[in-house]
């Protein structure tokens, strides 16, 4: 009996150690992901421009005199990086989709271009009437900072279970909320309208504040045309 009890206790201890190791490994992976996202955001041109402008404001007159030269240097550096060779030859974060598919550099488009946190169904419906760049949790702010878009759309149904944005809008799911706030910040810096799309959004989304909201009707083309007119941005194709 004593040996049996000792064996059961050892088995429980082994399971607890394995569980703690798994939790620690998941925490380390999450920390690495956050560090990667932070490094990407801090390395973006948008972040550097904001930092220069904020620094000029603190230094008053002297900062204002130096700011144009600093901004020109930043612009020149970015242009040199863009012209250094094919995009596929540049280093990029592991796991990103093809960057050339997202930046829209080589394929000009005359209609409405949407960057969106979207469900698959909403993305498919909008893609028939506009160019759609889907944002994903692992690189949303980075892609939005680089892509040439007219509007940022957040789909109220994007948080449905099973999708990449599962549980977006659910209280307590802080990683999704933090990523959405990052997207909102980049949109604000770039003066991109932020639009809530959906008829019954979660309460946590409605409280964020939006430039416009759309309750989809029977015609996505009509919904987008009305939105474009309201925001004074390019119409649908």
């Amino acid at each position: 009996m004593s040996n049996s009890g000792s064996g059961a206790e050892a088995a429980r201890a082994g399971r607890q150690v394995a569980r703690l190791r798994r939790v620690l490994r998941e925490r380390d992976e999450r920390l690495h992901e956050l560090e990667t996202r932070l490094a990407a955001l801090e390395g973006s041109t948008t972040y550097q421009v904001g930092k220069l402008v904020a620094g000029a404001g603190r230094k008053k007159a002297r900062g204002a005199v130096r700011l144009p030269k600093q901004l020109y240097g930043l612009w020149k550096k970015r242009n040199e990086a863009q012209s250094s060779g094919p995009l596929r030859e540049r280093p990029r974060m592991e796991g990103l989709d093809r960057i050339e598919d997202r930046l829209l550099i080589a394929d000009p488009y005359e209609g409405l271009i949407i960057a969106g946190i979207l469900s698959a169904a909403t993305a498919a419906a909008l893609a028939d009437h506009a160019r759609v760049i889907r944002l994903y949790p692992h690189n949303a702010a980075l892609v939005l900072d680089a892509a040439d878009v007219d509007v940022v759309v957040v789909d109220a149904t994007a948080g449905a279970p099973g999708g990449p944005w599962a549980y977006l809008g659910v209280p307590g799911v802080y990683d999704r909320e933090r990523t959405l706030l990052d997207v909102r910040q980049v949109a604000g810096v770039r003066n991109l309208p932020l639009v809530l799309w959906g008829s019954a959004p979660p309460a946590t989304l409605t409280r964020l504040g939006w430039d416009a909201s759309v309750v989809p009707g029977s015609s996505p083309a009509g919904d987008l045309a009305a939105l474009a007119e309201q925001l004074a941005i390019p119409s649908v194709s």
Side-chain angles (χ1 to χ4, degrees):
M1 179 69 70
S2 176
N3 290 339
S4 176
S6 299
E9 184 176 352
R12 284 196 300 271
R15 288 194 296 270
Q16 183 177 12
V17 169
R19 185 167 58 251
L20 291 174
R21 285 177 176 171
R22 185 173 62 253
V23 170
L24 181 60
R25 183 171 60 253
E26 292 174 351
R27 189 206 65 178
D28 289 342
E29 291 173 352
R30 178 59 179 155
L31 179 60
H32 176 70
E33 178 187 353
L34 291 173
E35 289 174 343
T36 301
R37 286 171 49 194
L38 178 60
L41 183 60
E42 289 181 342
S44 71
T45 301
T46 299
Y47 177 88
Q48 294 177 46
V49 168
K51 189 175 180 181
L52 287 175
V53 172
R58 288 194 299 268
K59 295 176 183 177
K60 299 187 184 302
R62 186 176 62 179
V65 170
R66 296 177 56 189
L67 181 60
K69 182 177 180 181
Q70 292 171 325
L71 291 176
Y72 173 76
L74 189 59
W75 170 83
K76 184 176 180 182
K77 181 180 178 181
R78 178 168 181 171
N79 277 3
E80 289 173 350
Q82 289 179 346
S83 61
S84 60
L87 286 172
R88 62 178 177 273
E89 295 178 359
R90 298 176 198 164
R92 57 181 182 265
M93 292 170 57
E94 183 179 358
L96 288 181
D97 294 338
R98 290 191 309 154
I99 293 180
E100 52 266 56
D101 286 343
R102 294 183 176 274
L103 298 186
L104 308 178
I105 292 175
D107 184 14
Y109 184 75
E110 298 299 329
L112 183 65
I113 305 178
I114 297 170
I117 295 174
L118 307 168
S119 66
T122 300
L126 297 181
D128 289 335
H129 312 285
R131 171 160 285 178
V132 175
I133 301 174
R134 292 186 67 182
L135 303 177
Y136 294 91
H138 68 284
N139 65 350
L142 177 63
V143 171
L144 181 59
D145 178 58
D148 179 17
V149 303
D150 301 305
V151 63
V152 181
V153 173
V154 178
D155 179 13
T157 65
W165 289 94
Y167 309 111
L168 175 68
V170 175
V173 186
Y174 299 114
D175 58 337
R176 294 288 182 265
E177 182 179 347
R178 181 66 260 173
T179 304
L180 176 58
L181 292 176
D182 290 343
V183 167
R184 190 164 179 259
Q185 182 179 17
V186 174
V189 171
R190 295 192 56 193
N191 292 319
L192 294 172
L194 194 62
V195 176
L196 178 61
W197 188 278
S199 57
T204 52
L205 293 184
T206 59
R207 291 198 296 266
L208 283 180
W210 305 86
D211 297 304
S213 60
V214 176
V215 177
S218 58
S219 171
D223 295 332
L224 289 175
L227 177 65
E229 183 178 1
Q230 177 184 351
L231 297 175
I233 55 179
S235 185
V236 297
S237 59

